């Protein structure tokens, strides 16, 4: 009986130990800490208990831990926590993707203290090109460019790992978000991903007023054959959208990606781009004849502020937001949003009959909407 009792005790102890390491049980324990506002304990619990776990929930674990750091305003610990987490599970697609996202959303400022970088949530005297050699300096500098590249490095690693289709889609989605958050003119550059720059490296500088224009036409970005053959970040962005469609089994994914492209194209080439420049008041009406007549625009035409001034030009259907929105107007998931966008576009163009026609089509297909 004593031997049987001993065996039962050993088995029960092993069961309890296994239960203690069960990911779901551990995450519930972590949730209890965060619900009680025990942020420091939640961070320590993550490093001790959750970092060793590698599954599809590992990305969410990292995001929750960095959220706790934010609650503590302990951004000086952010980089160390993230990099240790990645080193512990370098093959985990979910964690790599989450690491890229938290780098994108973290405060992009810091300083060098005793020769080590220390991220800060803000404060101090800020300079974009501050010297990092003076260890006693209280000058803060921007880490935005370095964080941008680190995010892309992590995502490039994520999409190269064997993971589920869902993990791949999320990684490519985050990749697209990293590119599109930049100023549009920067999509013409090809960001180098081999080496991390210095902490205070500003990256490409300059800027333009209006959509990029080159030669006789606007700059547009086509889908490259492969990621490696991309000529610029714009093509990398298009490839990231295309990969989401390729990996998805959802019939609506292609429509969602078309909607993404349409929104970007509209932001670059829509008549709305004229509103913030005061161009209407400055232009000589005689010189503007034929350009200001926005109600005469064909559906494949654009009138927009570009880096070469206000231009009236044509775009192929692959790049024109009206054609893109029309192609998904019937889609149940994004068709109503596309219809609303088209209505506003035609109102802005003073093409009221078209606006009414699209509105009627949208209501007939998707209902009257909330407003």
């Amino acid at each position: 009986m004593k031997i049987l009792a001993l065996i039962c005790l050993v088995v029960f102890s092993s069961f309890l130990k296994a239960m203690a390491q069960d990911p779901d049980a551990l995450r519930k324990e972590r949730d209890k800490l965060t619900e009680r506002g025990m942020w420091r304990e939640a961070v320590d619990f993550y490093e001790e208990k959750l970092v060793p776990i590698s599954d599809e929930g590992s990305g969410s674990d990292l995001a929750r831990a960095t959220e706790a750091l934010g609650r503590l305003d302990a951004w000086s610990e952010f980089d160390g926590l993230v990099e240790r987490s990645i080193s512990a599970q370098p093959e985990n697609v979910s964690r790599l993707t989450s690491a890229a996202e938290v780098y994108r959303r973290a405060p992009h400022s810091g300083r060098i203290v005793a020769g080590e970088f220390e991220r800060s949530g803000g404060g101090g005297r800020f300079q974009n090109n501050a010297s990092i050699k003076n260890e006693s300096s209280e000058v803060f500098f921007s880490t935005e460019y370095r964080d941008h590249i680190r995010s892309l490095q992590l995502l490039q690693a994520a999409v190269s790992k064997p993971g589920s289709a869902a993990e791949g889609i999320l990684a490519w989605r985050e990749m697209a978000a990293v590119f599109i958050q930049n100023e549009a003119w920067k999509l013409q550059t090809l960001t180098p991903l081999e080496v991390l720059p210095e902490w205070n490296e500003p990256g490409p500088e300059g800027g333009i007023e209006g959509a990029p224009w080159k030669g006789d036409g606007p700059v547009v970005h086509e889908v490259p054959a492969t990621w490696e053959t991309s000529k610029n970040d714009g093509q990398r962005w298009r490839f990231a959208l295309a990969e989401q469609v390729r990996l998805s089994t959802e019939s609506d994914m292609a429509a969602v990606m078309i909607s993404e492209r349409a929104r970007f194209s509209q932001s670059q080439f829509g008549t709305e781009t004229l509103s913030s420049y005061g161009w209407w008041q400055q232009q000589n009406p005689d010189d503007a004849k034929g350009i200001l007549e926005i109600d005469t625009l064909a559906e494949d035409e654009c009138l927009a502020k570009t880096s070469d001034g206000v231009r009236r030009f044509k775009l192929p259907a692959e790049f024109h937001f009206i054609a893109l929105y029309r192609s998904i107007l019937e889609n149940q998931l994004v068709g109503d949003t596309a219809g609303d966008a088209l209505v506003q576009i035609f109102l802005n163009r003073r093409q009221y009959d078209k606006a009414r026609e699209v509105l009627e089509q949208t209501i007939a297909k998707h209902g009257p909407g909330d407003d």
Side-chain angles (χ1 to χ4, degrees):
M1 289 296 293
K2 290 183 178 180
I3 295 175
L4 181 60
L6 182 61
I7 292 173
C8 291
L9 180 61
V10 170
V11 171
F12 185 67
S13 298
S14 300
F15 175 77
L16 288 178
K17 185 176 180 180
M19 283 295 293
Q21 299 304 314
D22 176 69
D24 290 338
L26 289 172
R27 284 163 181 149
K28 288 178 181 178
E29 193 172 343
R30 183 269 320 278
D31 292 344
K32 290 178 182 178
L33 294 173
T34 57
E35 287 167 5
R36 295 165 61 187
M38 301 173 67
W39 308 114
R40 172 53 59 192
E41 290 77 5
V43 173
D44 294 342
F45 185 88
Y46 170 73
E47 292 227 65
E48 180 184 352
K49 300 291 187 180
L50 293 175
V51 165
I53 295 174
S54 179
D55 59 18
E56 290 195 16
S58 296
S60 177
D61 292 337
L62 175 58
R64 296 284 294 275
T66 57
E67 180 187 356
L69 281 183
R71 296 276 190 166
L72 293 166
D73 196 24
W75 291 107
S76 61
E77 303 174 35
F78 172 85
D79 297 82
L81 176 75
V82 175
E83 294 301 328
R84 285 192 300 273
S85 176
I86 296 166
S87 297
Q89 302 292 346
E91 301 298 311
N92 187 281
V93 176
S94 175
R95 187 170 295 183
L96 289 166
T97 302
S98 182
E101 183 177 8
V102 296
Y103 265 118
R104 180 166 67 91
R105 298 182 184 278
H108 302 299
S109 65
R111 58 181 177 174
I112 299 297
V113 178
E116 297 292 330
F117 172 72
E118 184 178 283
R119 192 177 296 269
S120 171
R125 186 161 55 89
F126 182 87
Q127 292 183 8
N128 194 45
N129 264 327
S131 171
I132 62 174
K133 296 180 180 180
N134 184 355
E135 295 180 3
S136 63
S137 173
E138 288 298 317
V139 175
F140 287 73
F141 50 84
S142 172
T143 65
E144 187 167 2
Y145 183 58
R146 182 186 169 103
D147 292 341
H148 176 73
I149 290 181
R150 186 62 182 136
S151 289
L152 292 174
Q153 287 180 335
L154 292 166
L155 291 166
Q156 189 169 244
V159 297
S160 70
K161 308 295 183 186
S164 67
E167 288 178 313
I169 290 170
L170 288 175
W172 283 113
R173 183 176 300 168
E174 179 61 22
M175 184 86 81
V178 172
F179 284 124
I180 211 66
Q181 75 172 7
N182 258 339
E183 296 171 87
W185 68 269
K186 291 183 180 180
L187 291 175
Q188 298 174 90
T189 66
L190 186 68
T191 301
L193 303 180
E194 295 77 18
V195 180
L196 272 175
E198 294 294 328
W199 287 106
N200 64 337
E201 171 62 45
E205 295 183 291
I208 59 173
E209 191 177 35
W213 188 276
K214 186 175 181 179
D216 296 327
V219 175
V220 293
H221 306 293
E222 298 179 344
V223 183
T226 65
W227 170 267
E228 291 75 17
T229 58
S230 300
K231 296 179 180 178
N232 53 46
D233 285 352
Q235 290 194 357
R236 284 172 166 173
W237 169 65
R238 286 294 308 274
F239 190 83
L241 298 183
E243 283 298 280
Q244 293 176 63
V245 176
R246 183 183 69 82
L247 291 171
S248 178
T249 58
E250 299 293 330
S251 59
D252 291 324
M253 182 60 78
V256 172
M257 294 303 102
I258 290 173
S259 180
E260 291 288 322
R261 289 166 48 205
R263 279 196 295 270
F264 175 75
S265 180
Q266 184 183 357
S267 73
Q268 293 293 288
F269 308 126
T271 56
E272 302 88 348
T273 60
L274 303 172
S275 62
S276 61
Y277 296 94
W279 183 82
W280 301 103
Q281 291 78 22
Q282 299 168 12
Q283 214 30 253
N284 184 321
D286 293 334
D287 295 337
K289 187 176 181 181
I291 294 180
L292 276 175
E293 296 172 351
I294 58 174
D295 58 319
T296 66
L297 286 170
E299 289 200 9
D300 63 347
E301 282 188 298
C302 295
L303 177 64
K305 178 71 173 180
T306 75
S307 59
D308 195 50
V310 174
R311 287 277 193 160
R312 182 169 179 159
F313 54 94
K314 289 195 172 188
L315 276 177
E318 181 186 0
F319 303 105
H320 201 297
F321 45 90
I322 291 181
L324 291 172
Y325 281 134
R326 280 199 181 280
S327 72
I328 57 174
L329 193 57
E330 297 294 310
N331 184 270
Q332 289 293 341
L333 183 64
V334 294
D336 57 341
T337 303
D340 290 343
L342 282 170
V343 169
Q344 192 58 55
I345 288 166
F346 288 129
L347 288 175
N348 292 341
R349 290 176 167 224
R350 302 173 189 168
Q351 297 174 340
Y352 305 118
D353 286 342
K354 285 188 176 182
R356 179 176 56 81
E357 177 188 355
V358 171
L359 182 57
E360 290 174 346
Q361 291 175 358
T362 305
I363 292 173
K365 181 68 178 181
H366 304 287
D370 296 331
D371 55 353

